[in-house]
Structure formats: structure tokens, C-alpha cells
Amino acid sequence: MDAPNTLEIISLLLEVAHVSLIILVVSAVLGLLLGSLLTMINVKDIPVLKQFTVVISSFTRSVPIIIQLFLVYYALPPILANFGIDASNLSATVAAILALTLYHGGYLTEVLRAAYKAVDKGQHEAADSFGYTPTKKFFRIILPQVVPVALPGWGNALIHLIHDTSLVFALGVADIMGRAELIAAASFGMNQVTVFITVAIIYIIFTFLSDGMVRLFEKKTRKYKLDSGLNARGM
Amino acid sequence: MLNFEILVENFFGILNVVPQTVALAVTIFILSILVGTVMALIQEYNVPVIKQIVMLFKLFMRGTPLIVFIFIMYYSLPGIVSFFTNLLNLDYNPHNMSPVVILIVAVSLTVSSFQAETIRASFLSVSYGQIEAARSLGYTPFQAFLRIITPQALVEALPEFGNAFLVVMKAISLGFMITVVDIFAEARLIAASNSYYVEAFIVAALMYWGIAYIVVTLTNKYESSLARRT
């Protein structure tokens, strides 16, 4: 393969962009679910499990994501083998999604917990005094107020996740970065800078789409943002 | 299951590179504070043209993953440096530039674009009365900045700096891509030599966790001592 020109580089990279995008979207959705679950355990103060959530969130925030990726990839099959599950052919893509989900969930726990705590106590009391069931209270009163507070933090968490999906090629996933490495290695020191600047631009587009989406949600949920909790204390 | 002999052996093996990893992190951390301060000042004082460049650079950094930026620097920095050395007729061959230098430049620039925000906020938190008081006592603007504003801004920014240091520590773990040896790179080398992958990565993860714990504890200690003083 001789050195491809800029247009060829762009098309070569876009060929595998869907791989990065799938990993990103699946991890973002699963991570949000995991983060919500961990937050629920945390605020409901379930013993033992709560300590577990604190450890997970501390681990995911203290250890470099690259180690988390490798740990899941190498440690999960032997752990599952103990339970009689054969995961010896765990694919790099699945391992990457699992690691990123755990990381994103652990990161989001902090964001969601702070947002939940920001809802004024009076809101809970008012809902209780109206005789709302706990489920109804959560979905009609609490959640709409948690969302606008949590959105900026969630936006930042998404940016981190987008950046960290660029590392899955270290496990051997054939994503944008994996393809970029191949092109850079095959073109004998030609146009490597072009290749990685193109990769940067693709990721910048991902980032701005994500930012735009979060801003749209912020606009839609602004009316639920009460001047209570944080704002009332003059923060 | 886990092989404990290997765990202990790896622990001491990886412990050897902890000092150099921390030293590298401290270097990058100090550089990022300096560059971040310069960026913050450029934005505060509205320096034309350069301000636009800084803003553009920040946008670029927000969207670009660190590993991509490290590769861009790895392939372009020697060329950029040789352009300037040729301009100045210096006798320096940048093509054998150490990857450590490239990593320092790439991570410092990345972290400084985030640091600039923290530093700007902490400078803005110093009340204007302080500046007026200094000026009325006959301090020159530069003296006022150095002796009155900076110390107060530092106090404001320090808790955030603990966090930033950990970000730098974690960022260096990508150095293995350009052959820089830190905690993680050493763990990979050990794993490749004895094939105990899980043990090596567990030890590396615990190392980072321990360092994070120490930094967070120190930061909290400092914060509570500040709370007592004010």
C-alpha cells in the first residue's frame, strides 16, 4: 500500500467510525443505567451494598482507564470460569464496552448523587403530605428536578467517555484509532500527522454533537429548575 | 486464581518506577500551572490575536482525546522544533528527541488548557478591594499582582490542584504508546515477561489507587486547616 492522500485517509477512517460510535453509545446507555443504580443504592443507604458503590466509584476515578480496560479484558474470563461460565473467547469489543460502562457508571454516581441531594427536602415533604406513593413521588416530583441539575455534569462525563473510547484499540479493537495506527505504520513516515489530525477532527465532531445534545436537554428541562437547594443557599 | 508470590514480586518490581513516574507527574503538573496561568492572564487582559489562539486551542483540546494529541505531537514536534532551530541557526538535531520530552509537552498542554479555567476562577475570586488597597499603598501593578493577588488566588486554587495532579498521574499512563516507562508501562513489561497479566495490572491499579488516596488525604488535610484559619 502506497501513501494514501488526505481524501483516502478520511474515507479509510470513516469506514470504521461506526465501531467507535457503537462502543460509545452502548457504554453511554449502560453506564447511565449502572450509574443510576449505584446512586439509588447510595442514597437509599442499603448496608454493605453502599460501601460497595463507594469502592467502585473510588476505583474508577483513581485508576487510569487504560488499566481498567486491560483488567477487564484479562481478569474477567478467569473470574467467570470460577462460576462455570466460559468466557475464554471474550471479544475485545465486549471487554471494552464492559470496562467503559463500569468507568462511566462510577463517574456518573458522583454527579447523580450531588444532583439528588440538591433537591430541597421540602419537595420530598410536600409530596409525602399530598399522599404520593414513593414511586410516583420519584418520577413526578424528584426526577424532573434532579435532571436539570445533573445535566452539566452528565455532559462532562460524556466528554470523558468520548475521549476514553479512543483507547480501546489498545485491546485490539479495530476502531478509528486502530485504523489510524495501521495507516501511520503502512505509509513509511508519510502523512502520519495528517492521519492523527483527521482523527482529532472526527473526535471533535463527536464532542460537539454530544455538547449540542446536552444543551438541547438543558433547554427542555429548564422550567423544572427550581431556585431551591443549592441556589437558596446563595451558591 | 491469583498467584501471591507473583503479586509481591510485581509490587517491588513496579515500586522501582514509582519515583520516576511521580517526578514526571510533578514536572508536568508545574508546567501546566505555569502555562495555564499564562493562558488565564491572556484571557483576562484581552490580549488581541493571542487570546483568539488560546480560545481556539482550548476548543481543540476539549474535543481531542489525549492519546490522539500525544500521537500528533510525537510525529510533528521534531519537525516543529527543527523549523525553529534552523531559523536560529542552532546546531541541534531534534529527530532524536526523547519521547519523555514529547510526553511532557503533550500532557502539559492538554492539562494546562483545563487548568486555565481553575486559575482564572481563583484569580477572579480575589476581591477588587484588595487590588485597590495595594494600589493605594503605592504598589506597582506588577507588585500588587505578585504579592497580593497571587497568594490569595493560590489558596483558592490549591484544593483543585490536588485533583489536577491526579489527572496528570493518570494521563502519563498513556506514555507506553510512545515508549515512555511509567507504572503502567512497567506493569505491561513485567506481564509480558512472566505472562501473569492479571497480577501485574492489579498491582498497577492498586499503586494508582494508593497514590490517589495519599493525594486526596493531603488535600483534605490542607482544606480543613484552611477552614480553621478563616
Side-chain angles (χ1 to χ4, degrees):
Chain A
M1 164 175 166
D2 52 345
N5 63 31
T6 310
L7 269 179
E8 280 168 343
I9 289 173
I10 294 173
S11 72
L12 279 172
L13 289 172
L14 286 180
E15 258 173 33
V16 287
H18 66 278
V19 178
S20 296
L21 208 56
I22 287 168
I23 291 175
L24 173 66
V25 171
V26 175
S27 313
V29 172
L30 292 178
L32 183 60
L33 291 174
L34 178 69
S36 310
L37 181 73
L38 292 176
T39 310
M40 205 176 77
I41 291 169
N42 201 306
V43 295
K44 288 272 175 279
D45 235 339
I46 302 168
V48 187
L49 280 181
K50 186 190 171 173
Q51 279 68 31
F52 191 63
T53 65
V54 172
V55 169
I56 285 184
S57 141
S58 159
F59 176 84
T60 53
R61 282 179 311 128
S62 310
V63 178
I65 180 73
I66 189 86
I67 296 188
Q68 296 180 42
L69 286 164
F70 276 98
L71 259 182
V72 170
Y73 190 47
Y74 284 106
L76 203 61
I79 291 172
L80 289 177
N82 284 339
F83 296 105
I85 303 166
D86 178 34
S88 51
N89 52 4
L90 176 75
S91 82
T93 310
V94 174
I97 288 174
L98 287 173
L100 288 170
T101 298
L102 190 69
Y103 163 80
H104 192 55
Y107 188 104
L108 275 180
T109 307
E110 293 301 307
V111 174
L112 294 172
R113 203 170 54 101
Y116 183 87
K117 294 265 196 272
V119 177
D120 199 39
K121 253 202 168 62
Q123 298 288 329
H124 289 265
E125 287 161 2
D128 289 338
S129 70
F130 279 124
Y132 279 65
T133 60
T135 318
K136 213 167 162 186
K137 175 175 93 168
F138 179 75
F139 282 105
R140 296 222 180 151
I141 310 291
I142 308 301
L143 190 63
Q145 295 181 59
V146 168
V147 171
V149 180
L151 275 175
W154 182 61
N156 279 336
L158 278 181
I159 303 289
H160 280 284
L161 183 65
I162 293 169
H163 284 201
D164 291 336
T165 48
S166 66
L167 295 174
V168 298
F169 78 104
L171 300 183
V173 179
D175 70 332
I176 298 177
M177 275 302 284
R179 179 62 65 90
E181 280 240 287
L182 283 179
I183 303 171
S187 53
F188 311 108
M190 301 283 296
N191 60 35
Q192 285 144 330
V193 181
T194 319
V195 172
F196 287 108
I197 290 204
T198 313
V199 175
I201 290 168
I202 294 174
Y203 274 103
I204 287 171
I205 293 169
F206 282 172
T207 307
F208 283 104
L209 286 176
S210 152
D211 270 345
M213 180 183 76
V214 174
R215 256 202 301 277
L216 192 77
F217 285 147
E218 278 181 354
K219 229 196 200 124
K220 283 217 183 309
T221 58
R222 195 169 295 151
K223 62 173 183 285
Y224 298 117
K225 200 166 183 172
L226 293 187
D227 279 342
S228 69
L230 286 175
N231 297 340
R233 282 187 228 107
M235 303 271 281
Chain B
M1 255 355 264
L2 287 181
N3 182 328
F4 279 96
E5 262 172 53
I6 297 283
L7 278 178
V8 174
E9 197 180 304
N10 284 357
F11 178 80
F12 289 107
I14 295 175
L15 204 58
N16 285 333
V17 292
V18 170
Q20 68 198 60
T21 307
V22 173
L24 191 59
V26 170
T27 310
I28 291 174
F29 177 65
I30 291 169
L31 276 176
S32 73
I33 290 177
L34 292 176
V35 178
T37 307
V38 172
M39 282 184 184
L41 290 176
I42 287 168
Q43 272 191 290
E44 262 335 278
Y45 289 106
N46 258 329
V47 184
V49 186
I50 307 180
K51 185 195 171 180
Q52 276 69 26
I53 293 172
V54 168
M55 298 290 259
L56 210 72
F57 178 72
K58 274 185 170 173
L59 276 182
F60 178 81
M61 278 329 319
R62 184 170 165 81
T64 308
L66 178 60
I67 188 64
V68 180
F69 190 60
I70 288 176
F71 278 130
I72 291 175
M73 281 287 139
Y74 186 66
Y75 292 120
S76 68
L77 199 60
I80 294 168
V81 172
S82 73
F83 171 79
F84 282 106
T85 48
N86 289 344
L87 221 60
L88 303 166
N89 281 329
L90 292 175
D91 185 28
Y92 171 69
N93 180 11
H95 288 286
N96 47 22
M97 192 186 266
S98 145
V100 176
V101 174
I102 292 167
L103 186 71
I104 289 175
V105 171
V107 179
S108 301
L109 282 174
T110 307
V111 178
S112 63
S113 65
F114 296 101
Q115 291 274 60
E117 283 309 308
T118 310
I119 293 166
R120 239 184 92 212
S122 52
F123 272 125
L124 291 175
S125 74
V126 179
S127 79
Y128 197 70
Q130 297 284 333
I131 303 168
E132 282 176 335
R135 298 289 288 129
S136 73
L137 290 171
Y139 281 64
T140 63
F142 184 68
Q143 274 178 325
F145 174 76
L146 213 59
R147 298 193 187 169
I148 309 293
I149 306 173
T150 305
Q152 297 185 56
L154 259 181
V155 167
E156 196 65 35
L158 268 170
E160 271 299 317
F161 281 167
N163 210 356
F165 179 76
L166 291 179
V167 169
V168 172
M169 272 299 292
K170 288 190 286 182
I172 298 172
S173 67
L174 300 182
F176 78 98
M177 300 263 185
I178 56 170
T179 69
V180 177
V181 175
D182 73 321
I183 294 175
F184 175 64
E186 185 66 23
R188 275 183 92 227
L189 293 173
I190 291 175
S193 69
N194 65 12
S195 300
Y196 285 98
Y197 286 92
V198 179
E199 282 81 353
F201 294 136
I202 284 178
V203 171
L206 289 176
M207 289 267 183
Y208 280 103
W209 213 349
I211 291 168
Y213 178 78
I214 293 168
V215 172
V216 168
T217 313
L218 286 176
T219 318
N220 287 349
K221 261 215 175 79
Y222 170 81
E223 270 190 88
S224 56
S225 77
L226 264 192
R228 270 201 305 277
R229 261 194 315 193
T230 45

